[in-house]
Amino acid sequence: MISVIIPAYNERENVENTAKVIGNILRDNGTEYELLFIDDGSKDNTWEIIEKLAESDPSVRGLKFSRNFGKEGAIFAGLKNCVGDCAVVIDCDLQHPPELIPQMLKMHEQGYEVVEAVKASRGKESLLYKMFAKTFYRIMRTSSNVDLDRASDFKLMDRKVIDALNEMPERITFFRALSSWVGFRSGRIEFEVAPRKAGTSKWSFRKLVKFALNNITSFTNFPMQLVTGMGIVFLVFAVVLGIQSLVRFFSGTAQEGFTTVYLIILLAASMIMIGLGVIGYYISKIYEEIKFRPRYIISVDTKNRKDKDRNNDRNV
């Protein structure tokens, strides 16, 4: 049995079609499945549609968050609650082509415990977005030794991988990197990013920057290393400037004025403030972790509701 984990946030235009398309593909493939929709605090009627689907189709299950916890929380809620021997994480907008799921299942049968779908190209993205993405992946690769180039959240995982991810205690997670970090035998399959069938992307540039910063600081110490590197560069600059000043002083060619002093003070103050900012950011992340709050809160589970209705019917 395969579990298909589908995070959904304000996806009322896509939920019904997504369930239909994926269900048809898996039925035609003769695969037993469950579709697990996670409503990440949607503000539209996404949850109402998921509930109706769960009532009419026993293979559909829905989890509703008490508020918006983000895609990472939705993915890990799906991993925690799925019951399949393996699971696929896929976007609700079908930009991840569900037609690849049978191929991913075949690779799983061949012994691959993680099947990653990687982007053949980045699709229709702005130059700024592509540069931003490449910079982010380069930082992750050099600082954490995890190659996320062309990676996506679209991947199949064996139950062993799912259990390993569920055992991780951290609150601030980065699924795309953690699913590679755990290891296991991995295979890759390429896909072209499909255009959205309906609706609009929920990712603004501001959200992407925040997402990148959170993931870099939660998975690597690159910003700390960067500040240390800047400190070393400044130290070398100060030593060279100091030697130059002493040579001029003893040779009697030293010039009056405080331009150099001002420059050194400004550079030093800037370095100190940047360093304190980076340290403060990491401390805030430590603070978030030690509070040990849950990654998400589930307010409604259609499975529990179905079980309750069955019990009521028996009692009647």
Side-chain angles (χ1 to χ4, degrees):
M1 179 179 180
I2 182 174
S3 297
V4 183
I5 299 168
I6 312 169
Y9 177 66
N10 293 342
E11 295 285 1
R12 63 181 181 182
E13 300 97 338
N14 291 310
V15 169
E16 195 168 353
N17 181 60
T18 297
K20 180 181 177 181
V21 170
I22 297 177
N24 287 340
I25 290 171
L26 293 175
R27 279 193 297 272
D28 292 343
N29 194 57
T31 304
E32 185 182 0
Y33 68 93
E34 70 163 347
L35 302 182
L36 182 52
F37 285 93
I38 299 94
D39 178 21
D40 186 20
S42 297
K43 297 178 181 178
D44 57 11
N45 64 333
T46 295
W47 177 247
E48 286 75 14
I49 298 172
I50 293 173
E51 277 190 310
K52 290 179 181 178
L53 287 171
E55 289 173 4
S56 60
D57 187 346
S59 63
V60 175
R61 179 183 175 190
L63 303 176
K64 177 179 172 60
F65 283 177
S66 60
R67 66 169 178 84
N68 178 248
F69 284 91
K71 187 179 181 182
E72 292 292 310
I75 291 174
F76 276 89
L79 294 174
K80 188 71 175 179
N81 289 274
C82 68
V83 297
D85 302 310
C86 61
V88 168
V89 176
I90 189 170
D91 284 354
C92 192
D93 55 19
L94 294 185
Q95 287 192 291
H96 296 157
E99 295 81 9
L100 289 182
I101 296 178
Q103 293 178 244
M104 298 168 88
L105 282 168
K106 286 181 180 178
M107 293 182 68
H108 179 248
E109 292 170 359
Q110 293 168 4
Y112 290 99
E113 293 157 318
V114 179
V115 181
E116 299 195 38
V118 297
K119 300 171 184 176
S121 65
R122 298 203 59 88
K124 295 180 179 179
E125 295 177 351
S126 66
L127 180 62
L128 179 63
Y129 188 97
K130 289 181 179 179
M131 290 176 60
F132 179 79
K134 285 184 178 180
T135 302
F136 170 70
Y137 291 134
R138 189 179 298 114
I139 291 172
M140 291 295 297
R141 183 174 61 253
T142 55
S143 60
S144 66
N145 204 28
V146 175
D147 187 6
L148 298 178
D149 187 34
R150 301 190 296 146
S152 71
D153 293 328
F154 184 28
K155 58 188 67 185
L156 179 145
M157 293 158 292
D158 184 78
R159 172 51 62 179
K160 288 190 292 185
V161 182
I162 297 168
D163 292 341
L165 290 170
N166 285 333
E167 288 174 3
M168 293 185 177
E170 59 254 50
R171 306 293 94 192
I172 303 172
T173 55
F174 183 21
F175 168 71
R176 197 174 301 180
L178 286 174
S179 57
S180 297
W181 180 86
V182 293
F184 297 98
R185 188 185 179 196
S186 300
R188 284 191 163 195
I189 184 170
E190 287 191 344
F191 74 95
E192 293 287 347
V193 179
R196 262 184 166 266
K197 301 296 181 182
T200 58
S201 173
K202 310 305 182 295
W203 289 97
S204 63
F205 186 75
R206 178 175 171 273
K207 285 184 178 180
L208 286 169
V209 171
K210 184 179 179 181
F211 176 76
L213 287 175
N214 281 336
N215 293 328
I216 289 172
T217 53
S218 66
F219 211 79
T220 77
N221 60 357
F222 173 76
M224 290 282 198
Q225 295 171 345
L226 183 62
V227 171
T228 302
M230 292 171 66
I232 293 172
V233 170
F234 182 77
L235 176 62
V236 172
F237 174 75
V239 169
V240 171
L241 195 60
I243 293 172
Q244 182 187 43
S245 298
L246 287 173
V247 169
R248 286 187 174 184
F249 176 78
F250 287 113
S251 64
T253 60
Q255 295 182 356
E256 297 182 358
F258 297 95
T259 303
T260 303
V261 175
Y262 289 153
L263 180 62
I264 293 174
I265 291 173
L266 288 173
L267 286 172
S270 298
M271 281 296 305
I272 291 169
M273 294 306 294
I274 291 172
L276 287 174
V278 171
I279 293 169
Y281 195 80
Y282 271 94
I283 291 174
S284 72
K285 294 298 178 184
I286 295 171
Y287 175 64
E288 290 294 326
E289 288 285 355
I290 63 174
K291 286 190 292 187
F292 212 68
R293 289 178 180 171
R295 297 178 185 137
Y296 52 84
I297 298 172
I298 297 173
S299 61
V300 184
D301 182 345
T302 58
K303 180 182 178 182
N304 294 339
R305 183 169 291 178
K306 286 178 182 178
D307 292 342
K308 185 177 179 180
D309 290 341
R310 290 193 194 99
N311 291 333
N312 290 337
D313 291 340
R314 290 194 190 102
N315 292 333
V316 172

